[in-house]
Amino acid sequence: SSGPTFYGKRGELESINEDVQAMSSCCEDMSSRLKAAKEQTQDLIVKTTKLQAENQRLEMKAQVADAFIAKFQLTPDEMNLLRGTKDEPITEDFFKALGRVKQIHDDVKILLRTNQQRAGLEIMEQMALLQETSYERLYRWTQNECRTLTQESCDISPVLAQAMEALQDRPVLYKYTLDEFGTARRSAVVRGFIDALTRGGLGGTPRPIEMHSHDPLRYVGDMLAWLHQATASEKEHLEAMLKLVTIQGVEENIQEVVGHITEGVCRPLKVRIEQVIVAEPGAVLLYKISNLLKFYHHTISGIVGNSAATLLTTIEEMHLLSKKIFFNSLSLHASKLMDKVSSITSPVSFLLLLFAFQ
């Protein structure tokens, strides 16, 4: 009676054993899979870590490259400002870009002391070429600006003053620009002087100077007064244009250019004063004209110095001529008095008679 029960339990145990073995096999399989997955995951983590490190290295390189470009290269807008076309006006942004070029040209010398000498030389050459292009464009613009300053009233723009400040780094272009300005202003001053002589001011006020040619002292005085005012104005124009220039010799430049500007009026001035003096208006008037010429010679030389040689020489020549004719006239009057009053022995009486004759 116990047989079936025994065999029944044995069957159950075998079934359980099979289930346990199956579970064991499943666990072993799962363990193998987990181990393989762990190995793959670890390899993936290693690769991911390497990629992250590479990414950080590349980002750092990109930052360094961006910083290098920002320090040693111009932006496209800055390049366009410097190159531009001849019809485009010069603005303050142009000078900012030009300052960047100069700064890069100076900073790139640092690269020449490192292992980046090739890059430094290439950048230096690029900036040097860009500088020359920029200065050439600036010179052409400044030259055209000076050529337009032919009106009697001259307005110096702040941009023109900045242009002269920049051009001082190129002495040849700086000198040519001053010559261009002097030529334009010389024509304006000559035209203004002739207009003042023959046409007068706007609306007839003041009246033409030559309307007073019958009054020698006023005629000469009005011409010299106009010239004195014009000389002072031209010096002010040059001071405004060169106010930002820091090189040595600026004052000498101003005096030289003012001398060139006023040289154009020397001939018409000399011809008219000579006509007055040679006409011998009388010893007293000649004496007054001589003193007037001496006064304006001193006054104008105080404005522009002795570099305005042509103008000052002309006034000095007229002063000497007036003195010469004055003494000739005085000598002639003295001779006439001596003929009429040969018995005069007192110098005081002679002088009193001389001035009475005048």
Side-chain angles (χ1 to χ4, degrees):
S1 60
S2 60
T5 303
F6 172 77
Y7 287 111
K9 291 182 177 180
R10 183 178 179 182
E12 290 177 1
L13 288 174
E14 289 178 353
S15 176
I16 291 172
N17 182 48
E18 290 176 357
D19 291 340
V20 170
Q21 288 181 353
M23 290 176 64
S24 176
S25 298
C26 182
C27 288
E28 288 179 359
D29 183 58
M30 291 180 64
S31 177
S32 298
R33 290 184 180 182
L34 286 173
K35 184 178 180 181
K38 185 177 181 181
E39 290 177 355
Q40 291 178 357
T41 303
Q42 187 174 4
D43 184 55
L44 182 60
I45 291 173
V46 171
K47 289 181 178 179
T48 302
T49 303
K50 288 183 178 179
L51 289 174
Q52 287 177 341
E54 181 68 15
N55 183 53
Q56 291 178 352
R57 189 174 66 85
L58 291 175
E59 285 181 355
M60 186 176 295
K61 281 187 175 182
Q63 292 175 358
V64 171
D66 291 340
F68 183 88
I69 291 173
K71 187 173 183 62
F72 294 108
Q73 292 293 322
L74 298 176
T75 65
D77 290 340
E78 289 173 330
M79 296 284 284
N80 292 333
L81 278 171
L82 293 175
R83 288 172 176 169
T85 62
K86 64 179 182 179
D87 297 327
E88 292 181 11
I90 297 293
T91 63
E92 291 188 5
D93 291 335
F94 174 89
F95 299 105
K96 293 178 182 178
L98 183 59
R100 279 270 296 139
V101 173
K102 293 171 63 177
Q103 188 63 47
I104 291 173
H105 192 271
D106 292 337
D107 291 344
V108 79
K109 295 175 183 177
I110 300 173
L111 296 179
L112 300 180
R113 297 195 293 267
T114 66
N115 58 353
Q116 300 294 331
Q117 292 184 1
R118 180 177 178 181
L121 290 173
E122 290 179 355
I123 294 173
M124 182 173 286
E125 182 180 0
Q126 180 188 15
M127 292 300 112
L129 291 174
L130 191 56
Q131 269 188 321
E132 294 308 313
T133 302
S134 303
Y135 278 116
E136 181 67 20
R137 184 191 171 208
L138 180 62
Y139 167 65
R140 297 299 179 193
W141 178 86
T142 309
Q143 190 180 46
N144 291 332
E145 283 293 300
C146 289
R147 287 173 179 170
T148 64
L149 301 176
T150 56
Q151 302 299 319
E152 188 171 345
S153 59
C154 178
D155 184 20
I156 304 298
S157 66
V159 178
L160 183 57
Q162 285 183 287
M164 295 306 298
E165 179 189 19
L167 287 176
Q168 67 180 325
D169 293 335
R170 295 294 185 272
V172 174
L173 301 182
Y174 172 82
K175 179 64 169 58
Y176 285 166
T177 303
L178 284 180
D179 291 343
E180 196 69 45
F181 177 85
T183 300
R185 294 308 304 160
R186 175 171 172 156
S187 299
V189 169
V190 171
R191 185 172 59 253
F193 184 58
I194 299 301
D195 287 345
L197 287 170
T198 59
R199 299 174 58 183
L202 295 175
T205 304
R207 300 173 69 187
I209 295 175
E210 290 191 342
M211 289 190 68
H212 305 291
S213 58
H214 61 280
D215 184 350
L217 188 62
R218 179 174 179 180
Y219 183 45
V220 174
D222 286 351
M223 286 191 292
L224 292 174
W226 188 95
L227 186 56
H228 169 246
Q229 182 179 1
T231 303
S233 297
E234 294 307 316
K235 183 180 181 181
E236 290 177 359
H237 297 155
L238 275 163
E239 287 175 342
M241 190 170 74
L242 302 181
K243 64 181 180 181
L244 301 178
V245 176
T246 57
I247 58 175
Q248 293 183 350
V250 175
E251 185 62 31
E252 289 77 6
N253 293 149
I254 291 175
Q255 293 178 359
E256 181 182 352
V257 177
V258 171
H260 174 70
I261 291 171
T262 55
E263 184 180 1
V265 300
C266 291
R267 182 170 179 80
L269 176 71
K270 182 177 181 179
V271 168
R272 285 163 176 78
I273 294 180
E274 277 183 343
Q275 289 175 347
V276 171
I277 294 173
V278 173
E280 298 187 28
V284 174
L285 276 176
L286 283 170
Y287 179 75
K288 291 180 178 179
I289 290 172
S290 176
N291 284 338
L292 191 64
L293 289 164
K294 183 177 181 180
F295 168 76
Y296 275 105
H297 182 279
H298 175 74
T299 304
I300 293 175
S301 65
I303 295 174
V304 298
N306 293 324
S307 64
T310 305
L311 174 61
L312 295 179
T313 300
T314 299
I315 296 176
E316 179 64 19
E317 288 176 355
M318 295 301 96
H319 172 243
L320 295 176
L321 179 62
S322 64
K323 285 178 62 177
K324 179 181 178 181
I325 297 183
F326 165 71
F327 284 118
N328 289 341
S329 178
L330 196 64
S331 177
L332 179 62
H333 287 308
S335 298
K336 289 180 180 180
L337 288 175
M338 289 297 293
D339 291 340
K340 290 184 178 182
V341 191
S342 58
S343 62
I344 293 179
T345 57
S346 171
V348 175
S349 300
F350 174 76
L351 290 174
L352 289 173
L353 186 59
L354 176 62
F355 283 105
F357 184 82
Q358 289 294 328

